[in-house]
Amino acid sequence: MARTKAEKKKAKRKAKQKERRQRHADFFRRDKFDYLFSEALWLRDMGQLDKAVSYLQKASRLNPRNKECLQEIARLGHEMKRPDVELKALLELYANNCIKPDQIGRLCDLLKEAGRYGQALTIIEKTLPLIEKAKGQKKTVLRDSLVRCREYCQARLQTASPAPAPATAEKERKKPPEAAPPPSNTPTKKRPLSEITVTVEVDSRPLRDALDDGRICSLEDYELTLRAYDVRFKETFESLICFNSLNDVRSFWYQEETAKKVLKIFRGRALLADEVGLGKTIEALMVLKEYIQRGMVKNALILTPTPLVSQWKEELRAKFDLDFPSTDDPAYRAQGRSFWKQPFILASINLAKSKKNFPVVTEREYDMVIVDEAHHLKNRNTLNWKLLNALKKRFLLLLTATPVENNLMELYNLVTLLKPGQLKTASVFRNEFMTRGDPTDPKNRSRLKELLDQVMIRNTRALAKIGIPPRFAQTIKVEPDELELNLYERISTLTRDMNATNGGGHKLLLKSLLEEAGSSPRAVSLTLSRILEREEMLLKHENEIRAINNMCRSLDESNKNRMLLKLIKASKGKKLVFLKYLGTLEYVSEFLKWHKIPCALFHGRMDNRKKDEQIQRFREEVDVLVTTEIGGEGRNLQFCHQMINYDLPWNPMKIEQRIGRIHRIGQEEEVMIYNLCAAGTIEDYILEILDKKINMFEMVIGEIDMVLGRVRGDREFSEMIYDIWINSGSEEEREKGFGQLAGRLKKAKTSYQKTKELDEKLFGENYEL
């Protein structure tokens, strides 16, 4: 009976649905295979061979014909002395007709050892005729090996009990069963075993043939051959070669897999959109270092917001041993146009896009360009976007935790920089993927995901499985005594007067002087002593500088010191005391020594041996480590879970870095942070904003920078603090200035949280590795 038109239409629809489901299933199967295979290679490189084999076997079940996977299983089986694993992999390779000729001998040997003589003979009989037709010097060795194996297998089959012929077997079945012979107490006489003659022969023909037919190779040919092997190796990214040259980098598996995926699949052009705090910078620099070591990148440009230049400079130098000239360097302005001609450059994007620099930056070609905080490129009408679009670059990495802030077109603009045409034209993208009336709600999500999966990676905290106990912060406001209060007010007045006299030329020094005033009298005294040695700075302030310096020297103890002592004695356990200046370190350590509190000391002027000794002493002998900002970078301090900020950096990211020394993976206890500050000081205002107004200490590490980036623009947070303090003529003006800054930060935090919720809704866990 013929089907109706409706039935045909329904059947066709079902067929399409089935095809779509199959396509999705195939896609996810491929994706899972890639993950398992990459994970197995990582486990192999880490020396976890059993786990690596397990992952490879799982991957092989998803894609039984994958030659690379089977070859890796066979190789690991051989390395682990697991003949069962190696044999199974070689049989699969043979069945799929992708076994290497030199592996056939090994396969037959394994079958022989397993007692599978018939199977070995079958493979040998099929292989020998093919060997005769092959060319090459190795065929003789392989042929002789297979012949010997054949002889052995045939002999073993002949010595085994032969099965009766079919006719005889039939007669035997028809015969009545014979009675069992009566038991006998006479022992059966054993026949003596015949002697077996063993002959060992060494086939010298391959060596003789190689010596007779070989040719003399020149040094040039030899080096060229080595170079060819080197180039061939560098074309593959199965393993990363940069790890041996990294310093104090604890890379996590998802970072390494991200770097491999960027190198192998994305071919150096990707949007790295990991959630905040997962290490996009490390991922990007691993890719850069890998390309540099493989000779594929000989020049590069890194663009960041101005306040982040110094942070990237330190990361490049300390962890990746890369010394990039930067726009923060003192020599930058003196170099002029020649700065932008250097092979490797770290620059503020605001300086790069300036009217003076734009033509110079865009006239050359770059092997690689990296852009941090890439959400600043979301609008194609801005100079930021136009600068990136104009750059001639081979590889491009865009880093942002918030690829979409207000509109899906922002995502389109970023992807277009990476891979023009990937999302077609703007109008087609709007029609195909944007819901009318809601620019943040995509339609055709599965198709959009397919396209984004080719350029974007977004790792989540759930994938990374970063489980760290919570942290708690407590601000302890210390009331200064009359002498301390008088000293702080005189320092504040001095900096205002010097700023009014010659502030532009000495802003950094005056800012440091105010920060030191919140740290310790000893730190202030050391700076004032240096100022007294510079006649050009004294002018009319010399008498006041000397008077303040004398006050600093007369202060042996402070109320903040007494509070520190109470905190140390109040609870048991290890305590990390952070401070910024060496003068303060001496001041605090002398105070603790006077009160018979043993402590270890750690600062940047120590050599590595001395640093290791002090960390060991803190771990095993004493309960207090007094340390400067360097804070044991790269050293494991998770055995400590109490931290005291004796002074407070004006840069919130520096506070985060301090906390990150103990609040990190490996910490098993709740972390307690105590922030000390004298009432009425700049640090008091900073903590009021960061702790009480925006709850910085409850944020995930890295989120505070996302909030600050929406407020500071091109300025450092510490500069904003300095300007408010130095330009406030009264306490009311000061209160008003800090109140306005707190309001802007609260608004920025709300905006960031909305963006974060939007990105989680759009991407969530759907774009992980």
Side-chain angles (χ1 to χ4, degrees):
M1 183 177 178
R3 290 189 298 177
T4 63
K5 190 174 182 180
E7 288 174 335
K8 289 180 180 178
K9 192 173 182 181
K10 185 178 179 181
K12 190 175 181 181
R13 186 168 61 251
K14 282 186 177 181
K16 283 187 176 180
Q17 288 174 346
K18 184 178 179 182
E19 183 184 353
R20 194 180 302 116
R21 284 195 298 270
Q22 184 62 42
R23 192 163 59 246
H24 286 180
D26 291 342
F27 172 81
F28 287 117
R29 187 161 57 250
R30 287 196 303 272
D31 195 54
K32 189 174 181 182
F33 171 85
D34 289 341
Y35 167 76
L36 288 169
F37 188 66
S38 299
E39 187 74 355
L41 296 181
W42 178 79
L43 288 166
R44 177 201 66 189
D45 295 340
M46 297 297 291
Q48 301 180 39
L49 302 188
D50 284 322
K51 283 188 177 180
V53 168
S54 176
Y55 272 68
L56 286 168
Q57 288 172 336
K58 289 177 184 177
S60 183
R61 285 195 287 273
L62 291 169
N63 187 357
R65 295 179 175 273
N66 188 277
K67 181 171 67 173
E68 287 181 76
C69 186
L70 291 170
Q71 289 286 3
E72 192 61 25
I73 294 173
R75 194 187 70 78
L76 288 180
H78 183 72
E79 186 176 335
M80 296 165 63
K81 295 182 171 55
R82 290 275 306 276
D84 56 324
V85 172
E86 185 182 5
L87 175 58
K88 187 176 178 182
L90 290 176
L91 282 171
E92 289 291 336
L93 286 166
Y94 181 84
N96 291 321
N97 201 28
C98 53
I99 192 169
K100 296 177 181 177
D102 58 349
Q103 289 178 313
I104 293 178
R106 177 63 181 163
L107 170 59
C108 293
D109 286 340
L110 287 171
L111 288 170
K112 178 183 72 176
E113 291 166 10
R116 296 159 70 171
Y117 308 118
Q119 196 172 1
L121 284 171
T122 302
I123 293 174
I124 292 169
E125 296 301 336
K126 288 183 179 179
T127 307
L128 282 173
L130 300 175
I131 292 177
E132 298 300 330
K133 298 176 184 178
K135 295 179 180 180
Q137 296 178 357
K138 290 184 178 180
K139 74 172 188 177
T140 306
V141 178
L142 178 58
R143 182 191 61 220
D144 293 348
S145 171
L146 291 179
V147 168
R148 285 194 298 272
C149 185
R150 180 177 64 180
E151 291 170 355
Y152 179 90
C153 292
Q154 287 172 343
R156 291 308 301 264
L157 286 173
Q158 287 170 4
T159 56
S161 299
T168 309
E170 186 65 26
K171 290 177 183 176
E172 292 291 332
R173 279 196 294 272
K174 291 179 180 179
K175 279 184 180 180
E178 296 180 359
S184 172
N185 295 327
T186 306
T188 306
K189 189 177 180 180
K190 294 183 179 178
R191 295 175 61 188
L193 294 173
S194 57
E195 291 185 0
I196 299 175
T197 304
V198 177
T199 305
V200 178
E201 293 182 1
V202 177
D203 188 355
S204 61
R205 280 179 294 175
L207 177 62
R208 191 171 59 249
D209 292 345
L211 292 174
D212 291 342
D213 300 336
R215 63 184 181 85
I216 301 300
C217 175
S218 67
L219 179 61
E220 183 181 357
D221 287 348
Y222 175 74
E223 290 178 346
L224 190 62
T225 304
L226 289 180
R227 178 62 180 155
Y229 278 110
D230 188 43
V231 170
R232 181 67 189 92
F233 170 73
K234 288 180 179 179
E235 286 177 357
T236 64
F237 297 98
E238 299 302 332
S239 300
L240 300 180
I241 63 174
C242 67
F243 288 124
N244 291 335
S245 61
L246 306 187
N247 306 312
D248 298 332
V249 176
R250 182 186 175 184
S251 60
F252 299 107
W253 71 267
Y254 66 88
Q255 292 175 329
E256 295 174 24
E257 292 307 317
T258 294
K260 287 181 185 178
K261 190 170 184 179
V262 171
L263 294 161
K264 288 170 58 179
I265 300 172
F266 292 174
R267 300 186 181 278
R269 298 180 77 91
L271 173 61
L272 302 182
D274 291 0
E275 284 185 331
V276 170
L278 293 186
K280 293 181 289 295
T281 305
I282 295 295
E283 293 169 355
L285 292 183
M286 282 169 65
V287 173
L288 172 63
K289 184 78 172 183
E290 193 73 17
Y291 274 140
I292 290 174
Q293 288 196 237
R294 291 171 182 265
M296 299 171 72
V297 163
K298 293 185 171 59
N299 60 73
L301 172 66
I302 300 176
L303 297 171
T304 81
T306 303
L308 300 183
V309 171
S310 58
Q311 185 176 319
W312 272 80
K313 175 93 173 176
E314 179 62 20
E315 201 92 334
L316 282 160
R317 184 195 60 78
K319 295 183 177 179
F320 290 84
D321 199 25
L322 296 172
D323 189 12
F324 277 35
S326 80
T327 49
D328 270 10
D329 294 346
Y332 161 66
R333 295 190 181 280
Q335 288 176 304
R337 289 173 63 93
S338 64
F339 171 84
W340 301 99
K341 305 288 186 182
Q342 299 176 90
F344 295 97
I345 301 170
L346 168 62
S348 155
I349 193 169
N350 289 302
L351 286 172
K353 73 181 181 185
S354 67
K355 189 175 181 180
K356 179 179 75 172
N357 294 326
F358 192 108
V360 189
V361 176
T362 56
E363 70 182 6
R364 59 178 289 194
E365 294 183 3
Y366 301 92
D367 290 335
M368 187 164 200
V369 174
I370 299 174
V371 185
D372 195 14
E373 305 293 344
H375 45 270
H376 294 306
L377 310 174
K378 62 187 180 183
N379 187 340
R380 65 189 304 144
N381 295 319
T382 62
L383 267 177
N384 283 347
W385 194 93
K386 290 176 181 176
L387 172 70
L388 257 293
N389 193 47
L391 289 175
K392 296 181 277 290
K393 62 270 182 192
R394 180 183 178 192
F395 303 125
L396 174 62
L397 296 179
L398 303 180
L399 284 58
T400 175
T402 54
V404 176
E405 294 185 308
N406 306 295
N407 192 310
L408 281 171
M409 285 305 298
E410 297 166 357
L411 182 63
Y412 173 85
N413 292 335
L414 289 177
V415 173
T416 299
L417 285 171
L418 280 167
K419 201 171 180 182
Q422 176 70 7
L423 300 179
K424 300 182 181 178
T425 64
S427 59
V428 170
F429 178 78
R430 287 191 188 94
N431 292 333
E432 191 172 345
F433 298 113
M434 291 179 64
T435 303
R436 184 169 295 182
D438 187 354
T440 65
D441 184 25
K443 55 185 183 181
N444 297 331
R445 284 175 180 256
S446 60
R447 174 59 182 153
L448 180 60
K449 183 182 186 307
E450 286 181 21
L451 294 171
L452 291 179
D453 274 342
Q454 299 172 34
V455 291
M456 173 177 154
I457 301 173
R458 181 178 174 84
N459 294 313
T460 64
R461 302 184 80 80
L463 171 81
K465 295 180 181 176
I466 295 180
I468 308 175
R471 67 187 192 194
F472 302 96
Q474 181 180 346
T475 296
I476 300 173
K477 195 177 293 189
V478 180
E479 290 296 334
D481 61 27
E482 186 176 348
L483 184 58
E484 289 177 281
L485 187 59
N486 184 27
L487 175 62
Y488 194 84
E489 288 175 350
R490 289 184 73 167
I491 293 171
S492 291
T493 303
L494 173 67
T495 52
R496 286 194 187 95
D497 291 346
M498 292 181 73
N499 179 70
T501 306
N502 192 12
H506 304 292
K507 185 175 180 179
L508 283 176
L509 187 143
L510 298 179
K511 182 167 154 286
S512 293
L513 195 60
L514 280 173
E515 287 191 83
E516 289 163 348
S519 183
S520 73
R522 181 78 58 87
V524 175
S525 177
L526 291 172
T527 297
L528 292 179
S529 298
R530 287 195 296 270
I531 292 175
L532 288 169
E533 295 171 2
R534 299 168 62 180
E535 292 183 4
E536 76 277 6
M537 286 199 64
L538 297 179
L539 299 175
K540 61 180 182 179
H541 307 296
E542 181 176 357
N543 291 337
E544 181 65 6
I545 291 172
R546 293 189 185 281
I548 293 173
N549 199 17
N550 290 334
M551 286 179 69
C552 291
R553 290 177 176 178
S554 67
L555 270 173
D556 294 327
E557 287 195 13
S558 66
N559 284 351
K560 194 158 69 166
N561 272 0
R562 297 183 188 100
M563 181 57 71
L564 172 66
L565 189 62
K566 283 183 183 178
L567 279 175
I568 290 173
K569 291 182 174 181
S571 61
K572 295 181 179 180
K574 306 286 183 182
K575 296 175 182 69
L576 195 60
V577 180
F578 260 111
L579 35 78
K580 185 172 182 180
Y581 301 99
L582 271 175
T584 306
L585 182 138
E586 294 170 0
Y587 181 69
V588 170
S589 61
E590 288 170 9
F591 171 80
L592 293 177
K593 185 178 179 180
W594 177 259
H595 288 273
K596 295 182 171 53
I597 302 291
C599 64
L601 303 179
F602 191 104
H603 57 80
R605 293 187 183 177
M606 292 177 170
D607 59 34
N608 286 331
R609 183 185 60 80
K610 188 68 174 174
K611 287 176 182 176
D612 291 339
E613 286 176 0
Q614 291 299 302
I615 294 295
Q616 190 73 10
R617 185 167 179 245
F618 178 44
R619 184 192 297 270
E620 297 177 358
E621 300 175 24
V622 300
D623 285 339
V624 178
L625 174 67
V626 181
T627 175
T628 57
E629 297 281 36
I630 193 170
E633 181 70 36
R635 288 168 170 82
N636 183 359
L637 298 175
Q638 288 94 309
F639 58 86
C640 171
H641 62 274
Q642 299 178 80
M643 192 183 98
I644 302 169
N645 281 317
Y646 182 85
D647 57 19
L648 201 74
W650 291 9
N651 182 348
M653 294 310 298
K654 292 288 185 184
I655 303 174
E656 284 281 22
Q657 287 170 12
R658 287 183 176 186
I659 296 170
R661 300 273 45 86
I662 59 173
H663 190 238
R664 60 195 302 176
I665 291 175
Q667 179 59 258
E668 297 177 354
E669 305 285 341
E670 293 179 347
V671 170
M672 194 66 213
I673 304 152
Y674 300 96
N675 298 311
L676 297 182
C677 71
T681 61
I682 295 176
E683 290 72 24
D684 187 6
Y685 283 97
I686 291 173
L687 280 171
E688 177 73 19
I689 293 173
L690 297 180
D691 190 10
K692 295 183 180 178
K693 300 296 184 185
I694 64 171
N695 306 113
M696 166 189 160
F697 296 99
E698 295 176 13
M699 293 184 192
V700 171
I701 284 182
E703 284 191 316
I704 182 63
D705 198 41
M706 301 297 293
V707 174
L708 292 176
R710 295 164 185 259
V711 172
R712 68 190 173 205
D714 202 28
R715 301 176 66 204
E716 291 278 3
F717 184 78
S718 58
E719 289 182 12
M720 298 161 69
I721 295 292
Y722 174 80
D723 288 344
I724 292 171
W725 189 268
I726 211 77
N727 296 318
S728 298
S730 65
E731 188 173 343
E732 290 74 19
E733 288 183 18
R734 194 181 303 153
E735 294 279 354
K736 182 181 177 182
F738 281 109
Q740 289 173 343
L741 178 58
R744 291 169 63 196
L745 279 169
K746 287 177 73 174
K747 186 177 179 182
K749 184 181 178 183
T750 302
S751 173
Y752 164 68
Q753 286 174 333
K754 288 180 179 177
T755 299
K756 181 182 172 185
E757 289 168 7
L758 173 60
D759 281 303
E760 286 175 354
K761 183 184 82 171
L762 289 175
F763 307 114
E765 298 177 8
N766 295 323
Y767 292 83
E768 297 172 334
L769 284 171

